Amino acid sequence: GQSLEQPSEVTAVEGAIVQINCTYQTSGFYGLSWYQQHDGGAPTFLSYNALDGLEETGRFSSFLSRSDSYGYLLLQELQMKDSASYFCAVTSASKIIFGSGTRLSIRP
Amino acid sequence: KAGVTQTPRYLIKTRGQQVTLSCSPISGHRSVSWYQQTPGQGLQFLFEYFSETQRNKGNFPGRFSGRQFSNSRSEMNVSTLELGDSALYLCASSLASSGSYEQYFGPGTRLTVT
């Protein structure tokens, strides 16, 4: 079957760096993506990794290690508006499966 | 380009009733997926439609069904509602078929079953 694990909650300080980890088990793995969801809002796509390594998009970076079935989302220079839930999702040939989400709280 | 729209946004139903939710994808998108979101459970996949055909189905009882029309609009139906069906129902559209990693979500329909 398929499963994803990510921490349920993470707390960080404004201006700092935070890393949200995701480990997965799946067959027919294509890639790992990340979504952000603010309270009361819809999930929005952040990034996608199909190959090993780091992908950077502004303050956000995403990393994948296919051999370790592991990835993470790195958020730098944290801002209060980054307070949200973050979901990792595994894509295979036939479907995309989402994790349970990590709620990121940021303190001033 | 208009985003994904869902109607209604909020709905209150009674146990035993049935409900139909509607989703209009982004123009040009032929894939529509439905998810159930409850606190702490993340996004649970319900089903995906592409070109009016159901491509994938999640682990939900047969009370949950859906369909897609020729204009790619999709509807989801839940019959014999239970209290546990209270959730946010999200639909997402994408250009490609099954397994597309970039999905565009609608605002959701908040269903409350009393």
Side-chain angles (χ1 to χ4, degrees):
Chain A
Q2 294 177 301
S3 66
L4 295 97
E5 284 192 23
Q6 55 180 128
S8 58
E9 292 184 31
V10 171
T11 301
V13 178
E14 189 177 15
I17 299 172
V18 72
Q19 178 174 311
I20 299 173
N21 298 320
C22 175
T23 57
Y24 60 87
Q25 282 189 324
T26 186
S27 56
F29 176 82
Y30 272 24
L32 187 71
S33 50
W34 289 91
Y35 285 75
Q36 178 192 60
Q37 184 180 28
H38 287 100
D39 285 347
T44 56
F45 172 78
L46 289 176
S47 67
Y48 176 70
N49 294 67
L51 304 175
D52 286 356
L54 192 69
E55 296 278 346
E56 298 182 52
T57 309
R59 295 187 297 112
F60 292 7
S61 302
S62 56
F63 172 83
L64 175 66
S65 168
R66 296 174 70 110
S67 60
D68 295 324
S69 298
Y70 163 76
Y72 65 73
L73 179 68
L74 190 73
L75 296 84
Q76 301 178 310
E77 300 172 17
L78 283 171
Q79 301 176 10
M80 297 304 292
K81 68 178 182 179
D82 297 329
S83 294
S85 291
Y86 293 85
F87 296 88
C88 60
V90 165
T91 305
S92 65
S94 60
K95 61 178 70 173
I96 177 170
I97 302 296
F98 287 82
S100 298
T102 298
R103 186 171 186 84
L104 173 63
S105 300
I106 299 172
R107 305 193 312 266
Chain B
K1 187 185 270 192
V4 177
T5 58
Q6 291 186 246
T7 56
R9 292 292 313 278
Y10 302 90
L11 204 50
I12 300 175
K13 290 286 189 178
T14 304
R15 259 185 314 176
Q17 288 185 314
Q18 74 163 19
V19 66
T20 299
L21 312 181
S22 181
C23 172
S24 292
I26 290 172
S27 177
H29 285 193
R30 293 163 64 189
S31 172
V32 174
S33 298
W34 288 89
Y35 298 86
Q36 181 194 66
Q37 186 174 34
T38 53
Q41 292 298 311
L43 295 159
Q44 302 292 312
F45 173 73
L46 281 154
F47 27 65
E48 186 218 353
Y49 286 88
F50 183 84
S51 293
E52 302 178 66
T53 301
Q54 187 180 89
R55 288 295 184 93
N56 276 295
K57 193 176 190 308
N59 296 323
F60 278 81
R63 300 185 297 108
F64 292 81
S65 63
R67 60 177 175 168
Q68 187 179 34
F69 302 96
S70 58
N71 62 357
S72 294
R73 189 177 70 85
S74 178
E75 286 182 349
M76 185 193 119
N77 185 277
V78 188
S79 62
T80 320
L81 283 166
E82 300 177 358
L83 294 179
D85 297 333
S86 295
L88 179 68
Y89 290 89
L90 293 158
C91 85
S93 75
S94 60
L95 272 171
S97 61
S98 308
S100 173
Y101 62 84
E102 186 166 359
Q103 304 214 334
Y104 296 83
F105 284 83
T109 294
R110 173 77 60 188
L111 172 64
T112 302
V113 182
T114 63

